[in-house]
Amino acid sequence: VLLATEAGLRVGEIRGLQWGDLADGRLTVRRAVDQRNNVGSPKHDKRRVVRTSPALAAALDGVKRRGLWVVSTLDGGLLSYWAALEAVHGVYDRAGVTIPVSDTGVTMPWHSLRHTFGTEMAKRVPLPVLQRLMGHEKIETTMRYVQVNGAQMDDAIELVFGVSGQQVGNSLRKPVKLAEIVGDPIGT
């Protein structure tokens, strides 16, 4: 779950992650495994390096190494897509959360976790950075992961234009009246 929500990996990339892909607090997405267990390049041949969050790093440290694959069967073999799907369905069930369904009626539990990553990251990082982290070829694809609400828009104005005496960029922002900038337009 953390590989999807805190590193933004697709389910095939999670299944394709090997212990040799982890080093120095980062993971390298080098491969993906499709539903038929074919090992290949990640989508669009977009290899990428993602820093691990503290929670993900701790979870990975606690995973028993059974073979090449980080997420594996008990004997260290490649975990099937269906076993991964069943496992994540179990997580949703234990959490009491309804499994997300696409507009076409297909359950999307792994992809929804990746959407969580995209939405949370979009609140704090520039979209081109998010695009690279998610391995998207086009920024339009990244935009499908971004959900915006009114509170976020309010926070954006507050962040950029701040409050009295808030540090913004390299200068201390001070409140200024519009009339001081453009003059008194009505002569009062």
Side-chain angles (χ1 to χ4, degrees), residues 173-184:
R173 182 167 301 278
K174 297 176 184 167
V176 177
K177 293 181 182 177
L178 183 58
E180 294 173 7
I181 299 170
V182 297
D184 189 351

mmCIF file with all atom_site columns, all heavy atoms in Angstrom, residues 173-184:
data_model
loop_
_atom_site.group_PDB
_atom_site.id
_atom_site.type_symbol
_atom_site.label_atom_id
_atom_site.label_alt_id
_atom_site.label_comp_id
_atom_site.label_asym_id
_atom_site.label_entity_id
_atom_site.label_seq_id
_atom_site.pdbx_PDB_ins_code
_atom_site.Cartn_x
_atom_site.Cartn_y
_atom_site.Cartn_z
_atom_site.occupancy
_atom_site.B_iso_or_equiv
_atom_site.pdbx_formal_charge
_atom_site.auth_seq_id
_atom_site.auth_comp_id
_atom_site.auth_asym_id
_atom_site.auth_atom_id
_atom_site.pdbx_PDB_model_num
ATOM 1  N N   . ARG A 1 173 ? 6.664  40.081 3.424  1.00 0.00 ? 173 ARG A N   1
ATOM 2  C CA  . ARG A 1 173 ? 5.497  40.722 2.825  1.00 0.00 ? 173 ARG A CA  1
ATOM 3  C C   . ARG A 1 173 ? 4.805  41.576 3.884  1.00 0.00 ? 173 ARG A C   1
ATOM 4  O O   . ARG A 1 173 ? 4.513  41.106 4.973  1.00 0.00 ? 173 ARG A O   1
ATOM 5  C CB  . ARG A 1 173 ? 4.528  39.673 2.288  1.00 0.00 ? 173 ARG A CB  1
ATOM 6  C CG  . ARG A 1 173 ? 3.328  40.318 1.614  1.00 0.00 ? 173 ARG A CG  1
ATOM 7  C CD  . ARG A 1 173 ? 2.515  39.356 0.802  1.00 0.00 ? 173 ARG A CD  1
ATOM 8  N NE  . ARG A 1 173 ? 3.226  38.685 -0.254 1.00 0.00 ? 173 ARG A NE  1
ATOM 9  C CZ  . ARG A 1 173 ? 3.458  39.214 -1.458 1.00 0.00 ? 173 ARG A CZ  1
ATOM 10 N NH1 . ARG A 1 173 ? 3.086  40.434 -1.732 1.00 0.00 ? 173 ARG A NH1 1
ATOM 11 N NH2 . ARG A 1 173 ? 4.071  38.509 -2.374 1.00 0.00 ? 173 ARG A NH2 1
ATOM 12 N N   . LYS A 1 174 ? 4.571  42.805 3.552  1.00 0.00 ? 174 LYS A N   1
ATOM 13 C CA  . LYS A 1 174 ? 3.870  43.723 4.449  1.00 0.00 ? 174 LYS A CA  1
ATOM 14 C C   . LYS A 1 174 ? 2.549  44.102 3.808  1.00 0.00 ? 174 LYS A C   1
ATOM 15 O O   . LYS A 1 174 ? 2.465  44.222 2.591  1.00 0.00 ? 174 LYS A O   1
ATOM 16 C CB  . LYS A 1 174 ? 4.714  44.985 4.673  1.00 0.00 ? 174 LYS A CB  1
ATOM 17 C CG  . LYS A 1 174 ? 6.027  44.679 5.359  1.00 0.00 ? 174 LYS A CG  1
ATOM 18 C CD  . LYS A 1 174 ? 6.876  45.915 5.479  1.00 0.00 ? 174 LYS A CD  1
ATOM 19 C CE  . LYS A 1 174 ? 8.219  45.514 6.079  1.00 0.00 ? 174 LYS A CE  1
ATOM 20 N NZ  . LYS A 1 174 ? 9.196  46.561 5.961  1.00 0.00 ? 174 LYS A NZ  1
ATOM 21 N N   . PRO A 1 175 ? 1.523  44.308 4.601  1.00 0.00 ? 175 PRO A N   1
ATOM 22 C CA  . PRO A 1 175 ? 0.247  44.695 4.011  1.00 0.00 ? 175 PRO A CA  1
ATOM 23 C C   . PRO A 1 175 ? 0.366  46.058 3.326  1.00 0.00 ? 175 PRO A C   1
ATOM 24 O O   . PRO A 1 175 ? 0.993  46.979 3.847  1.00 0.00 ? 175 PRO A O   1
ATOM 25 C CB  . PRO A 1 175 ? -0.710 44.756 5.200  1.00 0.00 ? 175 PRO A CB  1
ATOM 26 C CG  . PRO A 1 175 ? 0.143  44.785 6.414  1.00 0.00 ? 175 PRO A CG  1
ATOM 27 C CD  . PRO A 1 175 ? 1.471  44.216 6.040  1.00 0.00 ? 175 PRO A CD  1
ATOM 28 N N   . VAL A 1 176 ? -0.195 46.155 2.128  1.00 0.00 ? 176 VAL A N   1
ATOM 29 C CA  . VAL A 1 176 ? -0.158 47.397 1.366  1.00 0.00 ? 176 VAL A CA  1
ATOM 30 C C   . VAL A 1 176 ? -1.574 47.687 0.888  1.00 0.00 ? 176 VAL A C   1
ATOM 31 O O   . VAL A 1 176 ? -2.265 46.796 0.409  1.00 0.00 ? 176 VAL A O   1
ATOM 32 C CB  . VAL A 1 176 ? 0.786  47.261 0.134  1.00 0.00 ? 176 VAL A CB  1
ATOM 33 C CG1 . VAL A 1 176 ? 0.770  48.522 -0.698 1.00 0.00 ? 176 VAL A CG1 1
ATOM 34 C CG2 . VAL A 1 176 ? 2.186  46.920 0.575  1.00 0.00 ? 176 VAL A CG2 1
ATOM 35 N N   . LYS A 1 177 ? -1.998 48.920 1.002  1.00 0.00 ? 177 LYS A N   1
ATOM 36 C CA  . LYS A 1 177 ? -3.313 49.302 0.509  1.00 0.00 ? 177 LYS A CA  1
ATOM 37 C C   . LYS A 1 177 ? -3.198 49.569 -0.982 1.00 0.00 ? 177 LYS A C   1
ATOM 38 O O   . LYS A 1 177 ? -2.211 50.119 -1.462 1.00 0.00 ? 177 LYS A O   1
ATOM 39 C CB  . LYS A 1 177 ? -3.811 50.554 1.229  1.00 0.00 ? 177 LYS A CB  1
ATOM 40 C CG  . LYS A 1 177 ? -4.083 50.310 2.691  1.00 0.00 ? 177 LYS A CG  1
ATOM 41 C CD  . LYS A 1 177 ? -4.592 51.564 3.351  1.00 0.00 ? 177 LYS A CD  1
ATOM 42 C CE  . LYS A 1 177 ? -4.801 51.307 4.836  1.00 0.00 ? 177 LYS A CE  1
ATOM 43 N NZ  . LYS A 1 177 ? -5.223 52.516 5.540  1.00 0.00 ? 177 LYS A NZ  1
ATOM 44 N N   . LEU A 1 178 ? -4.211 49.177 -1.732 1.00 0.00 ? 178 LEU A N   1
ATOM 45 C CA  . LEU A 1 178 ? -4.216 49.361 -3.168 1.00 0.00 ? 178 LEU A CA  1
ATOM 46 C C   . LEU A 1 178 ? -4.011 50.824 -3.538 1.00 0.00 ? 178 LEU A C   1
ATOM 47 O O   . LEU A 1 178 ? -3.287 51.141 -4.486 1.00 0.00 ? 178 LEU A O   1
ATOM 48 C CB  . LEU A 1 178 ? -5.534 48.835 -3.761 1.00 0.00 ? 178 LEU A CB  1
ATOM 49 C CG  . LEU A 1 178 ? -5.655 48.890 -5.273 1.00 0.00 ? 178 LEU A CG  1
ATOM 50 C CD1 . LEU A 1 178 ? -4.534 48.095 -5.945 1.00 0.00 ? 178 LEU A CD1 1
ATOM 51 C CD2 . LEU A 1 178 ? -7.004 48.367 -5.724 1.00 0.00 ? 178 LEU A CD2 1
ATOM 52 N N   . ALA A 1 179 ? -4.600 51.740 -2.789 1.00 0.00 ? 179 ALA A N   1
ATOM 53 C CA  . ALA A 1 179 ? -4.467 53.171 -3.088 1.00 0.00 ? 179 ALA A CA  1
ATOM 54 C C   . ALA A 1 179 ? -3.012 53.624 -3.012 1.00 0.00 ? 179 ALA A C   1
ATOM 55 O O   . ALA A 1 179 ? -2.608 54.559 -3.709 1.00 0.00 ? 179 ALA A O   1
ATOM 56 C CB  . ALA A 1 179 ? -5.329 53.994 -2.145 1.00 0.00 ? 179 ALA A CB  1
ATOM 57 N N   . GLU A 1 180 ? -2.195 52.964 -2.179 1.00 0.00 ? 180 GLU A N   1
ATOM 58 C CA  . GLU A 1 180 ? -0.779 53.317 -2.098 1.00 0.00 ? 180 GLU A CA  1
ATOM 59 C C   . GLU A 1 180 ? -0.017 52.923 -3.346 1.00 0.00 ? 180 GLU A C   1
ATOM 60 O O   . GLU A 1 180 ? 0.994  53.496 -3.684 1.00 0.00 ? 180 GLU A O   1
ATOM 61 C CB  . GLU A 1 180 ? -0.135 52.631 -0.872 1.00 0.00 ? 180 GLU A CB  1
ATOM 62 C CG  . GLU A 1 180 ? -0.647 53.121 0.450  1.00 0.00 ? 180 GLU A CG  1
ATOM 63 C CD  . GLU A 1 180 ? -0.111 52.308 1.617  1.00 0.00 ? 180 GLU A CD  1
ATOM 64 O OE1 . GLU A 1 180 ? 0.764  51.436 1.411  1.00 0.00 ? 180 GLU A OE1 1
ATOM 65 O OE2 . GLU A 1 180 ? -0.589 52.534 2.748  1.00 0.00 ? 180 GLU A OE2 1
ATOM 66 N N   . ILE A 1 181 ? -0.547 51.934 -4.082 1.00 0.00 ? 181 ILE A N   1
ATOM 67 C CA  . ILE A 1 181 ? 0.123  51.460 -5.298 1.00 0.00 ? 181 ILE A CA  1
ATOM 68 C C   . ILE A 1 181 ? -0.339 52.244 -6.525 1.00 0.00 ? 181 ILE A C   1
ATOM 69 O O   . ILE A 1 181 ? 0.472  52.719 -7.307 1.00 0.00 ? 181 ILE A O   1
ATOM 70 C CB  . ILE A 1 181 ? -0.148 49.941 -5.512 1.00 0.00 ? 181 ILE A CB  1
ATOM 71 C CG1 . ILE A 1 181 ? 0.393  49.152 -4.334 1.00 0.00 ? 181 ILE A CG1 1
ATOM 72 C CG2 . ILE A 1 181 ? 0.445  49.461 -6.832 1.00 0.00 ? 181 ILE A CG2 1
ATOM 73 C CD1 . ILE A 1 181 ? -0.023 47.703 -4.335 1.00 0.00 ? 181 ILE A CD1 1
ATOM 74 N N   . VAL A 1 182 ? -1.641 52.396 -6.677 1.00 0.00 ? 182 VAL A N   1
ATOM 75 C CA  . VAL A 1 182 ? -2.190 53.006 -7.903 1.00 0.00 ? 182 VAL A CA  1
ATOM 76 C C   . VAL A 1 182 ? -2.642 54.453 -7.692 1.00 0.00 ? 182 VAL A C   1
ATOM 77 O O   . VAL A 1 182 ? -3.066 55.097 -8.633 1.00 0.00 ? 182 VAL A O   1
ATOM 78 C CB  . VAL A 1 182 ? -3.359 52.175 -8.452 1.00 0.00 ? 182 VAL A CB  1
ATOM 79 C CG1 . VAL A 1 182 ? -2.900 50.800 -8.863 1.00 0.00 ? 182 VAL A CG1 1
ATOM 80 C CG2 . VAL A 1 182 ? -4.506 52.082 -7.461 1.00 0.00 ? 182 VAL A CG2 1
ATOM 81 N N   . GLY A 1 183 ? -2.528 54.948 -6.500 1.00 0.00 ? 183 GLY A N   1
ATOM 82 C CA  . GLY A 1 183 ? -3.026 56.297 -6.225 1.00 0.00 ? 183 GLY A CA  1
ATOM 83 C C   . GLY A 1 183 ? -4.494 56.242 -5.897 1.00 0.00 ? 183 GLY A C   1
ATOM 84 O O   . GLY A 1 183 ? -5.143 55.209 -5.963 1.00 0.00 ? 183 GLY A O   1
ATOM 85 N N   . ASP A 1 184 ? -5.038 57.391 -5.545 1.00 0.00 ? 184 ASP A N   1
ATOM 86 C CA  . ASP A 1 184 ? -6.450 57.466 -5.175 1.00 0.00 ? 184 ASP A CA  1
ATOM 87 C C   . ASP A 1 184 ? -7.247 57.717 -6.445 1.00 0.00 ? 184 ASP A C   1
ATOM 88 O O   . ASP A 1 184 ? -7.244 58.851 -6.963 1.00 0.00 ? 184 ASP A O   1
ATOM 89 C CB  . ASP A 1 184 ? -6.635 58.585 -4.150 1.00 0.00 ? 184 ASP A CB  1
ATOM 90 C CG  . ASP A 1 184 ? -8.026 58.587 -3.555 1.00 0.00 ? 184 ASP A CG  1
ATOM 91 O OD1 . ASP A 1 184 ? -8.882 57.841 -4.062 1.00 0.00 ? 184 ASP A OD1 1
ATOM 92 O OD2 . ASP A 1 184 ? -8.238 59.345 -2.610 1.00 0.00 ? 184 ASP A OD2 1
#
